[in-house]
Amino acid sequence: MSATGSAANWRSAGACLSADPDLFFPISSVGPAERQIARAKKICAGCGVRRECLEFALSHDPIYGIWGGTTAEDRQRERRRKRRAAAAARRRVAA
């Protein structure tokens, strides 16, 4: 359940709703885009539906944009970390 009372309606409660959407879709990850990414992540940090947004991004795998306070690279690292942790857990169980 999200801040809006409906799991499907989390987007309407996003802190990003009043921000320029372009802020959340930088064209690179270096140079001036680094400041843009930092500004977008700052907005996400105070968002009441950040968890729902991040869950959406992790399950739908958008290749662009800041979702739930993460970049596509952040999300890729997190998925990789989870895969490694799961593999290590399987090895421990098998041993």
Side-chain angles (χ1 to χ4, degrees):
M1 189 76 82
S2 73
T4 61
S6 167
N9 198 23
W10 62 266
R11 289 180 189 215
S12 65
C16 59
L17 204 57
S18 61
D20 179 358
D22 289 340
L23 178 66
F24 296 88
F25 293 92
I27 60 170
S28 76
S29 59
V30 295
E34 290 177 296
R35 288 188 301 280
Q36 182 179 349
I37 291 167
R39 286 181 23 226
K41 285 184 171 186
K42 186 174 181 178
I43 291 170
C44 293
C47 183
V49 294
R50 180 179 180 187
R51 183 178 44 88
E52 290 87 348
C53 183
L54 180 55
E55 287 173 10
F56 173 86
L58 291 172
S59 64
H60 290 83
D61 200 20
I63 59 173
Y64 300 109
I66 308 297
W67 293 85
T70 64
T71 64
E73 293 83 10
D74 295 335
R75 295 186 297 275
Q76 184 178 32
R77 277 192 300 274
E78 179 62 14
R79 282 190 292 278
R80 199 175 305 129
R81 186 196 63 76
K82 285 183 177 184
R83 281 194 306 270
R84 287 180 184 146
R90 286 191 300 274
R91 285 191 299 274
R92 283 192 299 273
V93 169

